[in-house]
Amino acid sequence: MAPHPLSSAQQQSVEQLLETMTLSEKIGQMTQPEKNSVKPGDVTRLSLGSVLSGGGGNPDPNTPQSWREMVGAFHEEAQQSRLGIPLLYGVDAVHGHNNVVGATVFPHNIGLGATRDADLVRRIGRATALEVAATDVRWDFAPAVSVPQDVRWGRTYEGYSQDTGVVSELAAALIEGFRGDGWATPTSVLPSVKHFIADAATTWGTSRRADRSTLATDRTLAIAQMGQSFVELLDLGAWQIDQGNSEIDEATLRAVHLPPYQAAIEAGALNVMVSYSSWQGLKMHAQHYLLTEVLKGELGFAGFVVSDWEAIDQIHPGDYDRCVVDAINAGLDMVMVPFDYERFIASLGRAVQSGQVSESRIDDAVRRILTAKVALGLFEHPRTDPALLNLVGCAEHRTLAREAVQKSLVLLKNVGDVLPLDPAGPELLVAGEAADDLGAQCGGWTISWMGGHGPVTPGTTLLEGLQAAGGQVHFSPDGVVDRDYPVGVVVLAEAPYAEGMGDRSDLSLSADQVALLERVRARCTRLVVVLLSGRPLIITEQLPQWDALVAAWLPGTEGQGVADVLYGERPFTGKLSFDWPHSHADLPRRPEATLLFPLGAGLTTDADSIRFPGLQDNAKV
Ligand code: BGC
Ligand code: BGC
């Protein structure tokens, strides 16, 4: 059990503050609206404890400076409330401060898992915390400590690995980076360890998020209504597994999914976010046993538990009062409402008045929230230093991201040592729009919730990286060329997605991608394929045609990191952090499944012999 985060004097100050608070002020602290829903003056009037930016909850214009002004205005409102309790502003900085145009975007966690490099992840945690703090934000909804078991899940890339030990180690390292020189220092950032628990163990087909019956009450989907493309995504499998039901037994839940929370708490995490999913048929947001008995009791978690976005609404669709009562009694301390916060406040007020929620439960919730605020030193310095703005997207952080990209690449096939390429060699054919698509290489949770295509933020595409490395490159987006080349590099990408919008029943390459591969194959003696994806894809049929395969995941803004390794300036060292399935029949993951490549696979080039590494051809393919 982790020691209490506060000194006894600090604990006393929390008790004293609690005694001076009215019930409304307490409920205000437990309420978290999204910034686009908050009416001016309401943070002061209702003593709101927190505000968040959802994915894409950006100011206009989207600059680091205007982020700071936007967040600062909420802090000022909090300071004007009767008790002046500082506000916690929360963001999803899940691969760098990814909503902010100009911030450094690091590889998504699946790529960091392939590095197996805890020290690197610690440094990324520190750099991310500095960029987040620069915008006056001290709370980050990361790390996801999901342990994905079915790569059809749209959130696979948010997980470091299918392996519990890898997840625990890297999550703890990120949290240490968030802490920096101490939680009470003004550049620490409170992690939100998510999504408690077994979010990544749900069964395909059990998600109810996009059911006709629930759509009517779901404001997120109504607002995000993606028209025809949404309908098409539903056909491909959107919201089939994300937010679904996990049927695993308790022993598996404890062995596979609980240890990362333990590691995170030991590293000092004082916030946990609850999963949208269910366990054995009951929504996690209503799981008293797991939230209160296991997390707060057994693990001795002294921090606070926050709900996910509009998630309590799913406990009893259509009966909000019952949702509120069950969630708070299960152990939720703060609710990410995110829209109609006055409805939440009124509902919880009624529940306390009628005795359905006890005052001691409210006190416990507020005590936990105040504990985190005191631990972060917010009462002494509710604001951060504006000079930090210079660090957003700075050269040092971009160099770190480039290092992360280099280390995240996994070389899965290399017949006849086609890689590394010789920068002084003949002209290289690079094909595929994805080679020059910064949005695609960043993936979801980049500037907007779903991410996008093209130059969404400053950065370097793979193509620009290859060009900058000095080699001669001919770029053909569609692979239609009028002569032959000794080596072709085809870059294929999944279109960006987030959450259940990325659930897919079919992980095969598209017909367009296969056609592109065939065109380039016909024009090149040797074919190198670079995959930009949030998970392993089904490539068994095409792989024999390729001389080399590099899994590059979702590398982020620093595309030179890929060129560094393709040209042999740096060695390949990444190892798969997931099994690579042979076919769809091998999903979800299970011991008897056939694998194209197992967890841990990855050819390595030795730093001293990069040019002629003498690699063995991958025997199986
Ligand atoms: C996601 C969380 C995220 C939250 C706030 C939810 O939809 O599940 O991971 O932290 O939104 O953006
Ligand atoms: C996400 C938010 C996002 C919103 C879009 C939520 O589920 O978590 O981050 O902005 O949907 O409507």
Side-chain angles (χ1 to χ4, degrees):
M1 246 192 221
H4 196 280
L6 301 185
S7 68
S8 49
Q10 287 174 315
Q11 290 180 51
Q12 247 181 323
S13 71
V14 167
E15 292 311 317
Q16 279 161 3
L17 180 54
L18 203 51
E19 276 167 31
T20 64
M21 292 173 77
T22 64
L23 177 62
S24 321
E25 285 167 335
K26 290 174 185 172
I27 293 178
Q29 287 298 304
M30 296 170 68
T31 308
Q32 184 189 50
E34 210 263 350
K35 66 104 181 164
N36 285 323
S37 306
V38 195
K39 291 192 247 1
D42 274 2
V43 170
T44 311
R45 182 173 69 90
L46 301 168
S47 173
L48 300 178
S50 179
V51 172
L52 90 145
S53 275
N58 308 330
D60 184 17
N62 186 346
T63 65
Q65 178 65 39
S66 54
W67 268 89
R68 195 177 165 88
E69 284 160 16
M70 169 181 82
V71 176
F74 288 114
H75 285 305
E76 272 165 32
E77 275 206 37
Q79 276 156 28
Q80 285 157 22
S81 64
R82 186 180 73 96
L83 294 168
I85 297 173
L87 179 96
L88 259 176
Y89 197 96
V91 297
D92 290 282
V94 300
H95 58 147
H97 200 357
N98 44 247
N99 278 318
V100 180
V101 171
T104 312
V105 178
F106 293 94
H108 268 297
N109 288 347
I110 191 169
L112 299 184
T115 72
R116 304 287 202 283
D117 187 338
D119 178 62
L120 171 73
V121 174
R122 190 174 299 109
R123 287 181 286 137
I124 291 174
R126 187 83 293 262
T128 302
L130 288 169
E131 297 202 16
V132 166
T135 57
D136 225 351
V137 173
R138 297 285 302 282
W139 186 11
D140 183 357
F141 306 129
V145 296
S146 323
V147 190
Q149 303 297 307
D150 188 334
V151 298
R152 290 173 296 184
W153 187 36
R155 304 193 83 154
T156 301
Y157 66 76
E158 295 187 60
Y160 295 108
S161 177
Q162 72 183 30
D163 181 85
T164 302
V166 172
V167 175
S168 299
E169 189 189 358
L170 298 186
L174 190 87
I175 291 168
E176 286 163 21
F178 280 13
R179 182 190 61 213
D181 294 332
W183 292 115
T185 59
T187 63
S188 76
V189 166
L190 175 71
S192 183
V193 190
K194 70 188 190 184
H195 309 81
F196 191 80
I197 183 174
D199 56 344
T202 56
T203 306
W204 183 265
T206 60
S207 180
R208 304 271 82 92
R209 178 73 189 261
D211 280 1
R212 291 267 161 257
S213 55
T214 51
L215 270 178
T217 57
D218 192 323
R219 266 179 84 173
T220 299
L221 291 188
I223 290 169
Q225 240 330 327
M226 290 137 198
Q228 189 52 31
S229 64
F230 183 58
V231 176
E232 280 163 23
L233 287 176
L234 289 178
D235 289 343
L236 294 175
W239 270 301
Q240 285 287 327
I241 186 166
D242 184 49
Q243 309 190 6
N245 181 40
S246 170
E247 280 145 21
I248 58 175
D249 61 19
E250 184 167 347
T252 308
L253 180 135
R254 284 177 177 270
V256 178
H257 302 279
L258 192 59
Y261 290 94
Q262 225 151 352
I265 292 167
E266 273 159 29
L270 287 179
N271 178 249
V272 165
M273 188 188 293
V274 178
S275 176
Y276 276 118
S277 57
S278 305
W279 181 50
Q280 299 185 350
L282 181 63
K283 281 280 169 196
M284 277 307 310
H285 283 76
Q287 286 273 3
H288 181 271
Y289 170 63
L290 291 173
L291 299 181
T292 297
E293 292 178 42
V294 176
L295 177 62
K296 293 179 176 176
E298 251 179 72
L299 300 193
F301 176 62
F304 69 103
V305 172
V306 68
S307 83
D308 204 340
W309 173 288
E310 216 187 4
I312 68 166
D313 306 44
Q314 295 186 22
I315 302 175
H316 307 288
D319 188 347
Y320 193 64
D321 285 347
R322 266 181 85 203
C323 294
V324 171
V325 168
D326 283 6
I328 304 300
N329 284 338
L332 262 302
D333 302 310
M334 184 186 280
V335 171
M336 188 186 289
V337 177
F339 305 109
D340 197 349
Y341 49 97
E342 297 223 53
R343 178 175 73 143
F344 169 73
I345 290 169
S347 176
L348 184 52
R350 280 194 301 276
V352 176
Q353 242 94 58
S354 69
Q356 288 176 285
V357 170
S358 69
E359 288 194 39
S360 64
R361 177 71 268 276
I362 300 289
D363 285 347
D364 173 55
V366 178
R367 183 179 293 117
R368 288 168 176 278
I369 294 165
L370 295 177
T371 295
K373 290 184 174 182
V374 169
L376 288 172
L378 291 179
F379 287 85
E380 289 80 55
H381 36 73
R383 313 294 301 277
T384 64
D385 182 353
L388 291 168
L389 279 173
N390 295 326
L391 297 179
V392 179
C394 67
E396 196 189 324
H397 292 174
R398 288 182 187 275
T399 304
L400 174 61
R402 182 170 174 171
E403 175 190 342
V405 175
Q406 294 160 354
K407 292 179 170 172
S408 69
L409 304 182
V410 183
L411 180 61
L412 291 166
K413 182 176 182 180
N414 195 26
V415 173
D417 296 345
V418 56
L419 293 178
L421 304 167
D422 182 357
E427 195 176 29
L428 187 68
L429 171 63
V430 175
E433 286 172 5
D436 198 28
D437 185 343
L438 195 83
Q441 76 189 41
C442 289
W445 296 107
T446 310
I447 311 306
S448 62
W449 182 31
M450 289 294 141
H453 287 282
V456 293
T457 189
T460 307
T461 66
L462 266 58
L463 177 70
E464 290 164 344
L466 287 166
Q467 287 165 336
Q472 263 189 292
V473 173
H474 176 75
F475 176 50
S476 168
D478 61 6
V480 178
V481 287
D482 52 16
R483 70 166 178 92
D484 292 344
Y485 290 80
V487 182
V489 176
V490 173
V491 182
L492 302 177
E494 281 193 293
Y497 54 80
E499 303 192 34
M501 296 292 280
D503 292 353
R504 290 286 180 279
S505 56
D506 186 351
L507 296 176
S508 314
L509 299 179
S510 71
D512 285 352
Q513 289 173 326
V514 172
L516 170 69
L517 285 165
E518 281 167 5
R519 278 197 295 279
V520 177
R521 175 74 280 182
R523 283 298 193 179
C524 297
T525 317
R526 317 253 256 150
L527 177 63
V528 175
V529 173
V530 177
L531 273 189
L532 296 170
S533 64
R535 52 192 155 197
L537 300 176
I538 303 296
I539 53 167
T540 308
E541 218 179 292
Q542 292 82 29
L543 186 62
Q545 311 300 317
W546 309 347
D547 296 287
L549 166 60
V550 178
W553 316 114
L554 299 167
T557 48
E558 305 316 305
Q560 311 98 303
V562 178
D564 295 336
V565 180
L566 290 184
Y567 277 131
E569 287 300 315
R570 289 286 185 280
F572 280 98
T573 54
K575 302 273 174 227
L576 286 185
S577 59
F578 285 86
D579 288 333
W580 198 296
H582 187 269
S583 78
H584 291 98
D586 301 307
L587 295 170
R589 191 171 98 69
R590 52 187 182 281
E592 66 280 13
T594 319
L595 302 177
L596 190 57
F597 307 107
L599 172 87
L603 300 166
T604 310
T605 48
D606 179 68
D608 298 328
S609 56
I610 298 168
R611 290 266 173 252
F612 303 103
L615 290 177
Q616 298 299 305
D617 289 352
N618 195 302
K620 294 198 303 189
V621 292

